Amino acid sequence: MDFILRYFEKIGLFVLYIINELGSLIIYLWNCILSILRYSVNVNNLFDQMAFIGMDSFYIVGLTGLFVGMVLSLQAYYAARIVGVTYMIGPTVALAMTRELGPVLTALMITARCGSSMASEIGTMKISEQVDALEVMAVDPFYFLSVPRIIASMVMLPIMSIVTSLIGIFGGYVVYKFFLGLNGAVFVDMIYKYIKLSDIYNGLLKAVFFGIILATISTFKGFEASGGSKGVGRVTTQAVVLSSIYILFADYILTSILF
Amino acid sequence: MIILENINKSFKNVKVLNNLNISFEDKKITVVIGRSGEGKSVMLKHIVGLLKPDSGRVLFNDIDLNSINKKELNELRKKFGMVFQDGALFDSINIFENVAFPLRQHLKLSEGDVVKKVISALNDVGLSGIESKMPAELSGGMRKRVAVARALILEPETVLFDEPTTGLDPIMSDVINNLIISTQKHFKYTGIIISHDIEGAYKTADTIAMLYEGAIIEKGDAEKFKTSDNPVVRQFVTGSMIGPIVI
């Protein structure tokens, strides 16, 4: 009997932890929104973050898009060949990239690359009293550290998502034409025929949400750091894991609403 | 004048400040001494509103820090400078940008004026030619001096020092103590220092207060501390392991 009670107790504690985290996250996001309203955004800081999240992530998201597009084309070929619809490989790759894989993979790669960096950078500042120093100098840490990262992430994720999708489609095209020896013009024509504008902008809208999620969680976790380098490591891991889970969860919700 | 009135603060059921009462005289240096872990830093963080008391009031020129909103608190904080224990310099920017940071955030100065003020502030603390260095390239003593320059650049009314000589060799400790004395004379700020460096306290303080078990148990000038008959104070100032302080 005790064993069953302890089991439910653990579930209850976990649920309370999740509710508590979610509540803290919402309060944190609200404080960031207030900071945006209260102060003008530091443009230099914002551009630095945009360069870090965007330009500096180009190779990693580009490579991800390229290989995923190539694999997608190859896998789609094996299925399409059976039913004789190899001409549908182009739209399959393009739709998968624009609606789903472009935004999600971009978000996950940028979470791994930049989200971890945001959490560890702010975490280190927190434990070395640099965040306290900002507050004592009458500078709102949310305004100075969180807001530029959240806005930059919100702006750059859709752009990087376009990059991933385009490179992915290009990778699919290369495999279609040069490795499978099929007609490249068909690949392109079918994309034009089947892909709608809504597929593109709904995918980009997802990327905007993913950008907000990853930067909000990563910066929030950074502020939770305590207890030295181990604490920074812990919040960095939590930032990446939680951001990834929330991105995948939001992806399902947004897909069911938007498409 | 800064007054802490009946301040109580606990962390996870551990009482750190226990009905703490202390006032800090304007334009004088008060050194609060006490053992590590007695709540000196916690007290300092209450003064600038980084921590809120569980009960009690923190008054700055009769304004209760707990009764004002965030914007008003930030306005008030512009009257403070703080030198953190390890300097708390921003490690991603160079020394020039660290010292210029408060100027860029709060004053609309031309770049030429910013350069002039930063160079002058660094000269005041005996550092020049290190503007382009990163904080990690400096020694502990230099980082503290840069932190002093940054804390003083807006010419605040009150400057708080969190263990300014901890971790420094005796000579560098003396340099920092002299720096505090000379800058206080020059800028006429109210200085609040927390420390466990007794010799430094005797040298810099107009008033010394001792924090023990979350409350002030003695306050007075250096002479009063040297001749105190309070056994706790005696044990602390003589640095003896025998006495009423439980180790």
Side-chain angles (χ1 to χ4, degrees):
Chain A
M1 192 65 186
D2 274 358
F3 167 75
I4 297 167
L5 279 175
R6 274 203 302 275
Y7 184 71
F8 279 105
E9 197 176 51
K10 275 185 180 171
I11 293 173
L13 281 171
F14 179 71
V15 171
L16 283 176
Y17 169 76
I18 293 289
I19 292 169
N20 185 36
E21 282 282 292
L22 201 62
S24 304
L25 199 61
I26 290 167
I27 292 168
Y28 170 73
L29 187 60
W30 176 243
N31 280 327
C32 290
I33 293 167
L34 286 182
S35 291
I36 297 171
L37 300 175
R38 214 175 272 147
Y39 313 100
S40 56
V41 177
N42 183 322
V43 178
N44 288 339
N45 209 345
L46 178 65
F47 284 162
D48 282 349
Q49 291 303 323
M50 283 170 76
F52 174 62
I53 294 166
M55 295 300 290
D56 298 353
S57 303
F58 178 82
Y59 290 110
I60 186 76
V61 299
L63 274 177
T64 307
L66 182 71
F67 288 121
V68 167
M70 287 167 77
V71 167
L72 208 55
S73 191
L74 212 52
Q75 295 284 22
Y77 171 73
Y78 291 117
R81 192 181 51 172
I82 296 166
V83 287
V85 288
T86 51
Y87 61 88
M88 285 303 288
I89 293 173
T92 305
V93 172
L95 283 172
M97 289 309 296
T98 52
R99 289 170 64 137
E100 192 60 40
L101 294 174
V104 172
L105 290 176
T106 305
L108 293 178
M109 293 312 287
I110 291 183
T111 296
R113 187 185 171 273
C114 306
S116 57
S117 166
M118 290 177 200
S120 60
E121 197 179 333
I122 295 176
T124 306
M125 289 183 75
K126 175 83 189 307
I127 61 162
S128 60
E129 294 187 308
Q130 293 175 53
V131 172
D132 283 347
L134 275 175
E135 286 202 67
V136 173
M137 285 188 270
V139 176
D140 184 344
F142 297 148
Y143 148 77
F144 193 74
L145 298 172
S146 310
V147 169
R149 284 168 173 80
I150 294 171
I151 294 177
S153 184
M154 197 176 88
V155 173
M156 292 314 291
L157 253 284
I159 295 171
M160 297 318 288
S161 174
I162 293 172
V163 170
T164 310
S165 300
L166 284 177
I167 294 177
I169 293 168
F170 172 73
Y173 174 82
V174 168
V175 168
Y176 187 86
K177 187 173 179 187
F178 299 105
F179 291 95
L180 301 174
L182 299 170
N183 187 348
V186 174
F187 186 94
V188 177
D189 286 347
M190 288 298 121
I191 289 176
Y192 276 115
K193 190 172 177 187
Y194 284 100
I195 203 159
K196 297 193 295 287
L197 199 60
S198 63
D199 294 322
I200 298 168
Y201 64 69
N202 282 340
L204 297 183
L205 194 61
K206 273 183 174 183
V208 171
F209 277 99
F210 296 161
I212 296 170
I213 289 169
L214 87 86
T216 306
I217 292 175
S218 301
T219 53
F220 169 72
K221 280 288 160 191
F223 283 109
E224 280 198 335
S226 62
S229 52
K230 200 174 176 184
V232 176
R234 191 181 59 245
V235 294
T236 305
T237 308
Q238 285 176 352
V240 174
V241 172
L242 271 181
S243 298
S244 305
I245 290 171
Y246 275 91
I247 284 167
L248 294 171
F249 178 65
D251 183 42
Y252 174 74
I253 302 286
L254 289 167
T255 303
S256 28
I257 294 168
L258 295 171
F259 296 107
Chain B
M1 192 173 206
I2 298 167
I3 301 168
L4 274 67
E5 247 180 36
N6 305 321
I7 302 288
N8 287 287
K9 183 73 180 177
S10 301
F11 295 102
K12 290 181 184 169
N13 299 327
V14 177
K15 195 143 200 166
V16 179
L17 299 180
N18 186 10
N19 213 30
L20 173 78
N21 285 285
I22 186 170
S23 60
F24 300 95
E25 210 178 328
D26 283 343
K27 301 186 193 307
K28 300 277 183 196
I29 295 178
T30 305
V31 180
V32 180
I33 56 171
R35 289 188 67 210
S36 300
E38 285 288 353
K40 300 188 299 294
S41 294
V42 172
M43 181 200 75
L44 213 59
K45 286 181 178 179
H46 277 83
I47 294 172
V48 281
L50 287 175
L51 289 173
K52 284 189 187 300
D54 298 335
S55 64
R57 298 196 304 165
V58 179
L59 300 169
F60 179 79
N61 293 341
D62 297 327
I63 301 166
D64 184 356
L65 262 58
N66 293 323
S67 67
I68 56 177
N69 62 33
K70 201 173 176 181
K71 202 172 180 180
E72 290 167 331
L73 180 62
N74 273 342
E75 279 306 309
L76 207 67
R77 279 175 175 160
K78 289 177 189 169
K79 296 175 181 173
F80 284 94
M82 186 162 173
V83 178
F84 287 85
Q85 195 168 338
D86 292 316
L89 299 178
F90 302 127
D91 47 21
S92 57
I93 54 177
N94 66 21
I95 298 305
F96 180 90
E97 289 302 328
N98 262 286
V99 181
F101 188 85
L103 295 174
R104 295 200 197 282
Q105 292 299 318
H106 299 303
L107 302 177
K108 287 187 167 59
L109 296 177
S110 67
E111 192 55 29
D113 286 342
V114 171
V115 172
K116 262 188 223 163
K117 277 187 171 279
V118 171
I119 302 285
S120 158
L122 286 170
N123 277 337
D124 285 346
V125 296
L127 295 171
S128 51
I130 59 151
E131 294 81 7
S132 59
K133 286 190 186 295
M134 298 300 281
E137 296 175 71
L138 304 185
S139 67
M142 286 165 96
R143 275 204 297 274
K144 289 207 175 164
R145 283 191 280 167
V146 174
V148 172
R150 185 177 69 177
L152 294 176
I153 199 144
L154 290 178
E155 299 183 13
E157 282 178 29
T158 303
V159 183
L160 314 177
F161 297 87
D162 188 354
E163 311 231 4
T165 56
T166 298
L168 301 180
D169 63 71
I171 297 166
M172 188 49 71
S173 296
D174 200 42
V175 169
I176 297 290
N177 287 329
N178 282 320
L179 183 65
I180 293 170
I181 294 165
S182 63
T183 54
Q184 197 276 336
K185 274 194 180 129
H186 184 251
F187 292 103
K188 302 266 186 289
Y189 57 74
T190 304
I192 302 172
I193 304 170
I194 60 166
S195 177
H196 45 240
D197 168 16
I198 295 297
E199 290 308 315
Y202 288 157
K203 183 166 186 172
T204 53
D206 295 301
T207 306
I208 303 175
M210 180 160 172
L211 186 66
Y212 180 65
E213 293 183 341
I216 298 295
I217 55 160
E218 185 98 305
K219 193 179 173 194
D221 59 13
E223 203 51 44
K224 185 175 178 185
F225 268 75
K226 284 175 186 169
T227 57
S228 173
D229 50 12
N230 183 325
V232 174
V233 176
R234 291 260 6 113
Q235 186 187 352
F236 186 78
V237 297
T238 56
S240 169
M241 63 178 280
I242 299 155
I245 299 174
V246 181
I247 300 162

